[in-house]
Amino acid sequence: MENNEDRDYRSEMRQCQIDVEERLRCFFSSETSYSGLLEAMRYSLLAGGKRIRAVMCIKFCEAAGGRLEAALDAACAIEMLHAYSLIHDDLPCMDNSDTRRGKPSNHIKFGESTATLAGDALQAAAFGTLLDSELPPAAIIGMAQAFAHAAGPHGICGGQYLDLLGESKIYSSDEVAQTHSLKTAALISASARIGVVAAGGSPEQVKAAEEYALAVGLAFQIRDDVLDVTASEQNLGKPVGSDRENEKNTFTALMGLDACEDIIAAETEKAIGALSGKFDNGGFLVWFARMLSERKY
Ligand code: IPE
Ligand code: IPE
Ligand code: MG
Ligand code: MG
Ligand code: MG
């Protein structure tokens, strides 16, 4: 049952999600001859989503002594990059998924070519938004480096490559962990790092934030794989059973559901351990890791 502390953290999270939604609505709304592209970008960017990467960025900024305003645009940039990765992930040449966040996937609604371009444009706009943050130049460079690392061959693209390559072979648990870490945990880790950098946090805090978020990120993708087996399409807003259909390498296929619960719990405690003593204000982040580990959608 939820106690008062849980309720307080949950409402803090909701407020953070509201702030992010409000800011995200300001982007890509101009009238132009290519408004159709902007519409496709806004469709996926504003389609809902849990905003966990944005919340993580903002809460790490606050935990390191910064204000929400310092991290808000960076958090929006992270959600843009994430939205791009989902649009491309759903394309017929990747996971071939027709629904996302309870609505038709971008390519179902706008066609494959517009969806591809909307993803490309969101990725470029994400870098632009990050670089436009009103922060000292050194902080912006640090954030952009983290972002580029998470987006590129050593992050999302490398992980998505391994994910697709794995459709025709069986991976070891180390190989699945590497795939998950690159395609999912890398951006979650960058979100945490960027939050600390936005606050002007110490190198020890940056290191702790990354360690926390890499473990949370791995647990997050394993939970996603579990939900693909155990949840309903209505709850998730995306197809279930799709990993099996696509012959994906997942921890669920490799080890079964019970072992997945053990790994999720262990990674979550590892994440929480990484925070110890590094932030004055880390209570929310402890709650957040546990809440994510138990999520139902
Ligand atoms: C989905 O991410 C893709 C994964 C990395 C598992 P989320 O579960 O964060 O998706 P939204 O943003 O809430 O829709
Ligand atoms: C995460 O993996 C994909 C990205 C990094 C974009 P999945 O392919 O499992 O994500 P869902 O289940 O489609 O959201
Ligand atoms: Mg995928
Ligand atoms: Mg997918
Ligand atoms: Mg999935």
Side-chain angles (χ1 to χ4, degrees):
M1 229 181 72
E2 212 171 51
N3 59 33
N4 283 344
E5 203 180 45
D6 287 337
R7 261 195 294 277
D8 288 350
Y9 286 138
R10 195 170 292 281
S11 71
E12 244 189 74
M13 179 178 72
R14 292 228 166 94
Q15 187 53 53
C16 198
Q17 289 163 328
I18 290 167
D19 293 334
V20 170
E21 293 300 333
E22 208 172 279
R23 182 75 185 119
L24 281 175
R25 277 198 294 274
C26 303
F27 293 94
F28 318 125
S29 56
S30 54
E31 278 300 317
T32 63
S33 54
Y34 46 88
S35 294
L37 176 66
L38 303 186
E39 192 199 331
M41 293 163 73
R42 282 171 66 85
Y43 177 81
S44 289
L45 186 61
L46 304 177
K50 299 178 288 293
R51 310 299 187 201
I52 71 114
R53 296 156 188 81
V55 169
M56 193 176 286
C57 175
I58 288 168
K59 288 300 173 186
F60 264 107
C61 176
E62 291 178 347
R67 288 163 49 82
L68 171 134
E69 290 73 20
L72 187 58
D73 277 3
C76 289
I78 290 163
E79 288 295 327
M80 289 176 199
L81 194 80
H82 173 57
Y84 129 70
S85 77
L86 297 180
I87 294 173
H88 283 199
D89 183 72
D90 289 337
L91 286 171
C93 61
M94 295 190 77
D95 289 355
N96 192 23
S97 187
D98 287 357
T99 52
R100 171 67 64 184
R101 295 170 171 169
K103 291 163 72 175
S105 298
N106 199 290
H107 66 278
I108 298 292
K109 174 94 176 159
F110 297 98
E112 276 178 53
S113 50
T114 299
T116 304
L117 290 170
D120 291 340
L122 275 166
Q123 175 163 207
F127 278 89
T129 302
L130 192 79
L131 293 168
D132 286 344
S133 294
E134 285 182 22
L135 288 173
I140 292 188
I141 291 171
M143 297 196 303
Q145 283 169 332
F147 214 56
H149 181 79
H154 310 297
I156 294 173
C157 291
Q160 292 286 63
Y161 173 81
L162 287 176
D163 177 276
L164 294 165
L165 189 70
E167 290 182 4
S168 56
K169 51 170 91 162
I170 294 177
Y171 282 161
S172 67
S173 59
D174 281 354
E175 288 170 325
V176 185
Q178 187 194 27
T179 305
H180 284 18
S181 297
L182 292 175
K183 75 174 185 176
T184 299
L187 182 59
I188 293 179
S189 162
S191 309
R193 182 187 184 105
I194 287 168
V196 176
V197 171
S202 68
E204 292 73 32
Q205 288 178 324
V206 169
K207 192 161 167 276
E210 274 191 326
E211 214 175 302
Y212 165 95
L214 281 173
V216 167
L218 179 56
F220 188 82
Q221 184 62 51
I222 299 174
R223 175 60 67 207
D224 182 81
D225 295 350
V226 168
L227 291 170
D228 189 77
V229 176
T230 60
S232 68
E233 173 152 5
Q234 199 186 7
N235 245 13
L236 284 191
K238 60 187 182 184
V240 292
S242 64
D243 291 336
R244 196 172 169 170
E245 201 174 307
N246 287 333
E247 298 181 18
K248 295 286 190 192
N249 279 282
T250 59
F251 277 97
T252 48
L254 199 64
M255 301 179 181
L257 292 171
D258 288 346
C260 287
E261 293 301 334
D262 292 344
I263 303 170
I264 291 170
E267 289 298 320
T268 302
E269 291 314 307
K270 186 167 133 193
I272 291 167
L275 295 176
S276 68
K278 303 291 193 310
F279 297 91
D280 290 340
N281 196 9
F284 177 91
L285 296 166
V286 172
W287 172 82
F288 194 52
R290 295 218 170 99
M291 184 279 294
L292 289 176
S293 76
E294 294 163 3
R295 72 197 168 94
K296 301 275 185 278
Y297 58 91

